[in-house]
């Protein structure tokens, strides 16, 4: 009986295997056919796009370089990199035409260029063509309440496809960090590809935040409190990091803006021979023309007179603490406001006390979400009872920004792991004493000793920020002047001229191929 059962099971197993094999073989054939069809389709698309490029080159009589920058009308440091890059390339390569893919709507190309002139004091030597993309919403974080990184990256691929079909360049430059557009332009468009990375889309620091279940703006409380959800998010980030690395490695030339970004991009994209640091351009010349001595020496004589009159009284000068940065969640303006409130609590009501202090928040608003964030910050100031001491200045022109920085005593920065920090450099060049977050670019590249001399302060919490601001305000005018001079001397390496030199050197191998 047992032998019969065993024989019956063997027959059933054999029948099952034959059935699976009979199903598997057609599936294999179907998969091969579908793969072949897909490859032929992709090859056909590539030939079609290359044909369009040849037609365009015959009409334009020259190569074209296109920059992918969906938010080119914004007022941040990334946009300054874009305009300085274009200016440098236009001067060096007069026979090349230039295109900018932008998602801005309701503005003209002339208005965008005028905005760049007002905000950054940059004027391009010749015209640039704008390709206006209609589906920028695909890369908006608000479009993806969950799986935001994946959603934005997939959306960037569709937006990149819209850009590629609208205009096929010879060289494509991603200047905003949309790495998933790189394989589209390289393999479908047949373009040379370069990228300037301001901030890695995913980083080992983000993984550590999730692993340690640390709530931040990119790690919700309900996830950080749940070990299962945290473990799943770690897996999600690891898988995404793998895809991100594969996409980024498609770039022929990789430029990063800081030592911090370099470390992450080398770990993720694994292309050290093609990767170099190109510090972003900071408009320090506009600030270096302003002398430091006059105001500080005057302040010193005034305080000396006050000390003689008051027997050592405090500093009665009105001090402004200025923050420069777009109103995005990662800039952590709430930390600035709360730390400022603690500073006010430490100061008395007498001369040189809380009435002598004001916090000025300067930044650009890219969209409705940013504007709502500003309203929330205004509400926080009201809630903390410091609204009379806080000013918001949105999308202001360059000259007004310059006046605010030159008049400021402290330049405030609070973003955790800021990739670089152009606003920090501008504050140092303007003569303010910088108080930046103890992480990322400010810690590794900017607020570092210069020839053994201190150039600023670093902090990482409400209490440490408040204490550092109090320390800065308590310094003598002579001590503040010395630190300002140290900071100014150290920022020469972040000038427009240094950027253009390094950027052109990095781009030379690709630009040389276009003119052949």
């Amino acid at each position: 009986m047992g032998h019969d059962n065993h024989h019956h099971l063997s027959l059933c197993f054999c029948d099952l295997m034959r059935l699976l094999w009979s199903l598997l073989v057609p599936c294999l054939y179907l998969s091969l056919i579908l793969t072949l069809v897909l490859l032929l389709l992709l090859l056909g698309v590539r030939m079609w796009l290359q044909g369009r490029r040849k037609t365009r080159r015959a009409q334009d009589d020259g190569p074209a370089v296109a920059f992918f920058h969906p938010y080119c009308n914004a007022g941040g440091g990334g946009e300054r990199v874009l305009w300085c890059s274009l200016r440098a390339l236009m001067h060096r390569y007069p026979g090349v035409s230039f295109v900018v893919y932008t998602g801005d709507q309701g503005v003209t190309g002339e208005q965008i260029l005028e905005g760049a002139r007002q905000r950054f004091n940059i004027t391009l030597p010749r015209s640039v063509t704008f390709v206006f993309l209609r589906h920028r919403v695909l890369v908006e974080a608000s479009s993806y309440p969950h799986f935001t990184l994946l959603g934005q990256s997939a959306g960037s691929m569709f937006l990149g496809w819209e850009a590629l079909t609208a205009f096929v360049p010879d060289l494509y430059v991603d200047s905003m960090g949309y790495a998933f557009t790189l394989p589209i332009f390289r393999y479908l468009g047949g373009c040379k590809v370069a990228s300037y990375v301001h901030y890695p889309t995913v980083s080992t620091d983000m993984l550590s935040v999730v692993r340690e279940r640390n709530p931040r703006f990119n790690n919700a409380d309900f996830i950080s409190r749940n070990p299962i959800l945290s473990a799943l998010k770690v897996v999600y980030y690891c898988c995404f990091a793998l895809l991100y690395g594969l996409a980024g490695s498609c770039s022929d030339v990789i430029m990063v803006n800081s030592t911090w970004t370099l470390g992450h991009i080398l770990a993720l994209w694994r292309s050290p021979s093609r990767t170099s640091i190109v510090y972003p351009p900071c408009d320090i010349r506009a600030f270096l023309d302003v002398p430091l001595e006059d105001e500080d020496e005057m302040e010193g004589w005034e305080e000396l007179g006050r000390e003689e009159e008051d027997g050592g009284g405090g500093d009665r000068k009105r001090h402004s603490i200025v923050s420069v940065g777009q109103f995005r969640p990662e800039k952590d303006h709430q930390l600035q406001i709360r730390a400022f409130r603690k500073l006010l609590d430490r100061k008395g009501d007498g001369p040189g006390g809380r009435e002598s202090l004001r916090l000025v928040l300067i930044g650009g608003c890219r969209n409705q979400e940013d504007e709502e964030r500003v309203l929330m910050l205004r509400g926080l100031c009201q809630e903390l009872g410091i609204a009379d001491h806080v000013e918001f200045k949105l999308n202001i022109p360059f000259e007004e920004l310059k006046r605010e920085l030159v008049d400021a005593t402290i330049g405030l920065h609070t973003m955790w792991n800021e990739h670089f920090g152009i606003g920090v450099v501008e504050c140092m060049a303007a003569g303010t004493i910088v108080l930046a977050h103890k992480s990322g670019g400010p810690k590794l590249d900017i607020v570092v000793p210069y020839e053994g001399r201190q150039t600023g302060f670093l902090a990482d919490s409400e209490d440490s920020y408040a204490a550092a601001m109090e320390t800065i305000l308590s310094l003598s005018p002579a001590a503040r002047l010395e630190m300002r001079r140290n900071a100014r001397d150290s920022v020469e390496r972040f000038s427009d001229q240094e950027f253009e030199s390094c950027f052109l050197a990095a781009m030379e191998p690709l630009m040389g191929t276009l003119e052949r």
Side-chain angles (χ1 to χ4, degrees):
M1 184 68 178
H3 178 73
D4 291 340
N5 288 336
H6 179 72
H7 180 68
H8 180 69
L9 289 173
S10 298
L11 291 176
C12 289
F13 179 75
C14 291
D15 289 341
L16 178 62
M17 293 301 295
R18 280 194 292 270
L19 176 63
L20 292 175
W21 180 252
S22 65
L23 295 174
L24 180 61
V25 171
C27 287
L28 288 174
Y29 281 126
L30 181 61
S31 298
L32 290 173
I33 292 172
L34 290 176
T35 300
L36 182 61
V37 170
L38 179 61
L39 289 175
L40 291 174
L41 178 62
L42 294 176
L43 182 60
V45 169
R46 180 183 169 95
M47 293 177 63
W48 170 63
L49 291 171
Q50 288 182 336
R52 294 188 59 182
R53 179 171 61 244
K54 289 179 181 178
T55 301
R56 188 262 307 157
R57 285 200 63 162
Q59 294 173 346
D60 296 346
D61 193 29
V65 176
F67 284 76
F68 188 76
H69 209 102
Y71 294 92
C72 77
N73 200 37
E79 287 66 58
R80 194 167 206 288
V81 169
L82 169 68
W83 303 122
C84 285
S85 301
L86 283 166
R87 182 175 61 185
L89 291 173
M90 285 181 176
H91 281 303
R92 175 67 67 87
Y93 302 99
V96 177
S97 59
F98 295 90
V99 171
V100 175
Y101 300 116
T102 179
D104 295 300
Q105 299 294 322
V107 293
T108 65
E110 290 76 13
Q111 290 172 327
I112 292 175
L113 293 174
E114 176 60 21
R117 187 192 66 79
Q118 290 184 357
R119 292 172 187 166
F120 305 118
N121 198 28
I122 294 175
T123 302
L124 298 182
R126 50 195 172 91
S127 63
V128 59
T129 301
F130 290 91
V131 175
F132 292 91
L133 307 176
R134 295 174 298 165
H135 301 98
R136 190 176 70 180
V137 67
L138 293 173
V139 297
E140 296 277 359
S142 57
S143 301
Y144 311 98
H146 305 291
F147 299 99
T148 307
L149 292 180
L150 186 62
Q152 287 183 289
S153 298
S156 71
M157 296 176 72
F158 286 101
L159 193 64
W161 172 251
E162 179 187 351
L164 180 59
T165 54
F167 184 90
V168 187
D170 299 277
L171 170 58
Y172 169 77
V173 183
D174 167 39
S175 53
M176 271 203 75
Y178 291 108
F180 286 86
T181 63
L182 300 173
I184 292 176
F185 277 83
R186 177 169 181 171
Y187 296 117
L188 291 183
C191 309
K192 296 291 184 180
V193 173
S195 55
Y196 188 95
V197 184
H198 299 272
Y199 196 88
T201 304
V202 64
S203 67
T204 54
D205 291 322
M206 294 167 66
L207 287 170
S208 67
V209 165
V210 180
R211 285 196 185 102
E212 296 166 8
R213 298 169 62 188
N214 183 6
R216 284 186 179 268
F217 76 91
N218 59 352
N219 194 37
D221 288 344
F222 76 92
I223 292 179
S224 64
R225 290 194 299 263
N226 190 310
I228 296 176
L229 291 179
S230 293
L232 291 175
K233 189 168 183 178
V234 168
V235 173
Y236 161 57
Y237 270 7
C238 288
C239 293
F240 181 84
L242 176 63
L243 295 175
Y244 177 65
L246 291 173
S249 63
C250 295
S251 188
D252 297 300
V253 168
I254 304 165
M255 293 167 280
V256 298
N257 68 340
S258 69
T259 302
W260 182 85
T261 306
L262 175 68
H264 289 287
I265 291 300
L266 289 180
L268 294 166
W269 293 15
R270 300 182 183 278
S271 304
S273 62
R274 289 175 275 151
T275 307
S276 60
I277 295 178
V278 178
Y279 288 127
C282 307
D283 191 14
I284 62 174
R285 295 296 171 198
F287 300 106
L288 295 179
D289 293 337
V290 179
L292 295 179
E293 290 78 9
D294 292 347
E295 180 181 353
D296 287 297
E297 287 174 0
M298 184 184 301
E299 178 187 335
W301 284 109
E302 289 176 354
E303 290 198 4
L304 180 60
R306 290 180 189 133
E307 289 177 2
E308 293 174 350
E309 294 173 5
D310 302 341
D315 182 0
R316 297 185 181 184
K317 180 180 183 293
R318 184 170 178 83
H319 296 284
S320 63
I321 301 166
V322 174
S323 163
V324 180
Q326 288 183 324
F327 288 98
R328 304 201 305 260
E330 62 269 26
K331 296 297 184 181
D332 206 352
H333 289 89
Q334 291 190 50
L335 174 57
Q336 299 176 6
I337 293 171
R338 294 185 186 279
F340 182 67
R341 162 65 189 274
K342 291 196 172 186
L343 173 66
L344 293 180
D345 290 343
R346 291 169 179 244
K347 307 291 282 186
D349 293 326
R354 56 186 293 139
E355 292 306 317
S356 68
L357 303 176
R358 68 173 184 139
L359 174 64
V360 184
L361 303 179
I362 301 174
C365 282
R366 303 166 299 172
N367 48 38
Q368 181 66 30
E369 186 179 353
D370 287 354
E371 293 173 3
E372 292 173 357
R373 189 169 296 110
V374 170
L375 291 177
M376 182 272 293
L377 293 172
R378 290 183 187 273
L380 177 61
C381 294
Q382 293 283 354
E383 178 186 333
L384 297 178
I386 61 172
D388 292 341
H389 294 270
V390 182
E391 296 181 39
F392 289 82
K393 299 203 170 186
L394 314 180
N395 301 320
I396 63 175
F398 176 78
E399 286 303 319
E400 186 175 355
L401 168 65
K402 180 179 177 180
R403 284 196 302 270
E404 287 290 346
L405 289 181
V406 169
D407 292 340
T409 302
I410 299 174
L412 191 61
H413 164 275
T414 49
M415 179 177 170
W416 172 72
N417 273 342
E418 170 78 88
H419 39 95
F420 180 71
I422 288 180
V424 177
V425 174
E426 290 178 341
C427 286
M428 294 169 74
T432 65
I433 295 182
V434 163
L435 172 55
H437 200 282
K438 194 177 182 179
S439 64
K443 177 184 177 182
L444 297 174
D445 293 308
I446 304 174
V447 190
V448 296
Y450 176 73
E451 296 182 353
R453 296 173 291 169
Q454 186 177 359
T455 58
F457 291 80
L458 297 170
D460 57 8
S461 65
E462 291 178 21
D463 289 330
S464 60
Y465 269 100
M469 284 188 281
E470 189 174 29
T471 298
I472 294 169
L473 295 174
S474 67
L475 292 174
S476 68
R480 284 202 291 260
L481 178 58
E482 181 181 1
M483 192 173 299
R484 285 168 169 157
R485 285 174 175 166
N486 296 342
R488 273 198 168 181
D489 291 342
S490 73
V491 298
E492 288 287 347
R493 58 208 167 101
F494 306 127
S495 66
D496 286 2
Q497 293 74 20
E498 283 294 318
F499 168 80
E500 291 185 4
S501 176
C502 295
F503 180 80
L504 290 173
M507 292 290 290
E508 176 62 31
L510 294 184
M511 296 300 298
T513 63
L514 299 183
E515 296 190 320
R516 291 173 186 170

